[in-house]
Amino acid sequence: MMAEHPVAVPPAVTPGADGRDGAELPLGVIEEIHGPVIDILCRRLPPLHQALYVWLDGERLTLEVHRHLDESRVRAIALHRTGGLRRLLPIFDSGGPLQVPVTPDCLGRLLDIFGLPLDGGQPLAAAGQRPVVASPAPLAEAAGMDEILPTGIKVIDLLCPFVRGGKTGLFGGAGVGKTVLIMEFMNAIVQLHQGVSVFAGVGERIREGHELWHDMQDAGVMPRTLMVFGQMDESPGVRFRIGLSALTYAEYLRDHVAKEVLFLMDNAFRFVQAGSELSGLLGRMPATVGYQPTLLSEVAELQERICSTRNGSITAVEAVYVPADDMTDPAVGAILAHLDTTVILARNQAAKGIYPAVDPLASGSRMMDRVILGERHYRVAQAVREHLARYRELEDIIAMLGLEAISEADRLTVQRARLLQRYLTQPFFVVSEHTGIAGASVPLDTTLRDCEDFIAGKYDNLSEADCYMRGSMEGMR
């Protein structure tokens, strides 16, 4: 049996006005405090990821164990602010990892990492508790992923279709429409599939979170949506765990409430940044490009829990920031390894007024297979890509020398490619109040028929404005 450390640990805590249980024996005491890092002198070593807590002025502050320093000391990360904490304060063991309250009534709510309300409403009347750090679904219960999840968004369904129960990465910088696209995905899941959405705001700016919350209420999707926020000014431990907290709710909703769950994360790169910050605070040596040595395992811990079972499916859409537009960055590569669909939002598309600003040539999906999509979808998608690729090749020549410098056949290809480019724009439901244009959801069969007609030349007499920001081409021949 491990010998006790010679530093005295209080045998019990006297009951006080802070609501502590006087019969509870402390696990240990605070030995050192370095920002959000707390070194704890323990009677016994708690396991890694154990949730501990300390009372300060009547408030219960939660810590999470991340490292064993020796046979009697652990290093924990505070999930609250550490102002006011001091050495020798008693630390208590919660008896398990961090847990959140789960209930079907969580829909329509705005919660923090602990499942506490941020929307000013009443606390959740929990039907149970679920641990935030958990293993993925057993392999025997996992379901295969060989089906498209239609979104009603033309360019997505045609060129980079979502995998039902799969993971999609949404790569783009500021101002190219990530948030609007994410909100439209939520609307599609609610309207087309009668599913629910869980939004994880990882390191979200309070302004962005507030605007998103109200925009979703205005769009009417909030009653079937749960939002979980870990804000930018909070502890790196909160930003590191908020994705898992939201995913815990997604798993509960998948198993007990809805067959279709859309899990959205903004931003997956901030999850990696929080892990890198924690790694430095815990004293680990940095690895490639300064990232944490545990980068791959930390990303996998999150991504592998996004899976489908016999009960239902979780389809993930993750916004990913690309540092310096370098797709070879280790963090981007670690996330890419887990994705089924990659959607690239390009700034030059947004500059042309092409919304959604999806780069149709850089984006792709593992579902782009003739066997999975069917002969017609595959053939139309390839023909559209060929037209757009040829137009991109000729853009510089046209800009310098004009259309007269290319052949008649190329001129026809360019004309149809420009019409297709405008056709793949689409008005969204969630911003219709701001744009004044009614939103449109287009079935895949309609998109395929319209694209076949464009390629066959049936719309060659139309102007580009006739194809811009509309749903289907019904009645435009």
Side-chain angles (χ1 to χ4, degrees):
M1 189 161 184
M2 189 184 303
E4 290 191 2
H5 200 279
V7 175
V9 177
V13 180
T14 305
D18 55 12
R20 297 179 299 193
D21 183 358
E24 187 174 5
L25 192 69
L27 174 72
V29 295
I30 294 178
E31 186 179 53
E32 292 184 28
I33 304 171
H34 299 281
V37 178
I38 311 290
D39 287 355
I40 302 167
L41 182 63
C42 304
R43 294 178 177 276
R44 55 176 174 78
L45 283 183
L48 293 176
H49 308 316
Q50 188 86 338
L52 312 178
Y53 64 92
V54 57
W55 290 99
L56 179 67
D57 299 330
E59 184 181 0
R60 175 169 161 158
L61 308 183
T62 303
L63 321 172
E64 186 180 34
V65 177
H66 278 267
R67 187 175 180 185
H68 290 168
L69 297 176
D70 55 35
E71 68 277 2
S72 60
R73 294 187 304 139
V74 298
R75 181 162 289 170
I77 298 294
L79 301 182
H80 294 85
R81 297 184 186 276
T82 55
L85 291 181
R86 59 188 182 275
R87 298 180 68 238
L88 300 182
L89 274 181
I91 298 292
F92 300 90
D93 189 352
S94 70
L98 180 65
Q99 297 191 336
V100 292
V102 291
T103 169
D105 296 333
C106 64
L107 290 174
R109 299 302 302 273
L110 185 65
L111 306 176
D112 66 7
I113 186 175
F114 306 105
L116 300 175
L118 292 173
D119 53 12
Q122 293 295 318
L124 295 180
Q129 299 274 335
R130 278 203 176 201
V132 166
V133 180
S135 300
L139 196 59
E141 295 180 13
M145 299 178 295
D146 56 359
E147 187 180 350
I148 288 176
L149 181 71
T151 64
I153 301 172
K154 293 178 287 189
V155 65
I156 299 288
D157 291 345
L158 176 67
L159 299 177
C160 42
F162 283 9
V163 182
R164 187 185 298 272
K167 295 178 276 287
T168 297
L170 195 61
F171 297 82
V176 295
K178 292 195 305 296
T179 301
V180 172
L181 197 52
I182 280 175
M183 289 166 58
E184 191 69 10
F185 293 148
M186 293 182 186
N187 184 74
I189 287 292
V190 171
Q191 301 298 332
L192 298 180
H193 306 286
Q194 288 74 54
V196 300
S197 300
V198 177
F199 180 88
V202 182
E204 198 80 357
R205 300 175 184 89
I206 190 168
R207 172 187 57 80
E208 293 177 341
H210 185 266
E211 290 175 358
L212 179 62
W213 178 36
H214 284 283
D215 286 345
M216 289 171 58
Q217 287 176 322
D218 294 340
V221 299
M222 198 63 202
R224 299 283 289 172
T225 301
L226 167 66
M227 302 183 74
V228 186
F229 276 101
Q231 296 174 46
M232 188 172 280
D233 65 333
E234 295 192 81
S235 161
V238 170
R239 289 180 272 120
F240 185 64
R241 289 298 187 209
I242 194 66
L244 290 179
S245 182
L247 190 51
T248 301
Y249 280 105
E251 290 172 333
Y252 171 79
L253 293 171
R254 174 198 65 193
D255 296 339
H256 297 94
V257 176
K259 289 288 186 182
E260 292 285 353
V261 178
L262 181 64
F263 176 72
L264 303 114
M265 179 186 290
D266 187 10
N267 185 301
F269 183 75
R270 293 198 198 112
F271 162 75
V272 173
Q273 280 185 313
S276 180
E277 191 175 340
L278 281 181
S279 182
L281 290 169
L282 294 170
R284 299 189 189 122
M285 287 290 290
T288 311
V289 199
Y291 286 111
Q292 61 269 41
T294 52
L295 171 64
L296 296 177
S297 59
E298 288 173 0
V299 171
E301 180 184 13
L302 175 71
Q303 301 289 349
E304 289 303 298
R305 281 180 59 184
I306 303 171
C307 66
S308 300
T309 66
R310 300 187 187 98
N311 297 318
S313 66
I314 299 177
T315 303
V317 179
E318 305 167 24
V320 184
Y321 169 71
V322 182
D325 295 327
D326 180 12
M327 292 294 290
T328 65
D329 185 87
V332 175
I335 296 169
L336 271 172
H338 295 273
L339 300 180
D340 303 295
T341 301
T342 304
V343 179
I344 309 294
L345 296 180
R347 194 168 299 282
N348 60 355
Q349 291 284 91
K352 296 174 185 175
I354 306 297
Y355 287 104
V358 176
D359 187 330
L361 301 180
S363 305
S365 170
R366 72 173 182 83
M367 299 295 279
M368 293 301 295
D369 183 280
R370 185 179 274 107
V371 175
I372 297 173
L373 296 181
E375 180 62 36
R376 183 192 182 201
H377 186 169
Y378 184 82
R379 173 175 47 80
V380 173
Q382 290 300 101
V384 170
R385 281 185 189 275
E386 287 169 9
H387 277 67
L388 296 174
R390 184 58 179 160
Y391 172 43
R392 184 166 295 182
E393 288 173 6
L394 297 170
E395 269 186 317
D396 289 341
I397 296 174
I398 294 169
M400 289 185 293
L401 304 175
L403 277 170
E404 296 76 15
I406 61 177
S407 68
E408 184 65 35
D410 280 340
R411 278 202 292 271
L412 194 58
T413 299
V414 167
Q415 178 190 356
R416 291 173 182 171
R418 288 180 64 88
L419 291 174
L420 281 166
Q421 190 181 57
R422 298 318 189 263
Y423 169 72
L424 292 177
T425 62
Q426 188 167 339
F428 285 166
F429 291 98
V430 294
V431 291
S432 58
E433 290 186 6
H434 304 291
T435 62
I437 306 173
S441 178
V442 184
L444 177 59
D445 284 342
T446 302
T447 301
L448 294 177
R449 185 191 68 223
D450 288 344
C451 289
E452 285 173 333
D453 290 345
F454 274 110
I455 292 165
K458 294 182 180 179
Y459 297 120
D460 286 354
N461 61 324
L462 294 181
S463 69
E464 294 174 13
D466 292 330
C467 307
Y468 182 68
M469 278 296 169
R470 59 179 300 118
S472 70
M473 296 300 292
E474 195 70 38
M476 291 298 294
R477 264 187 217 178

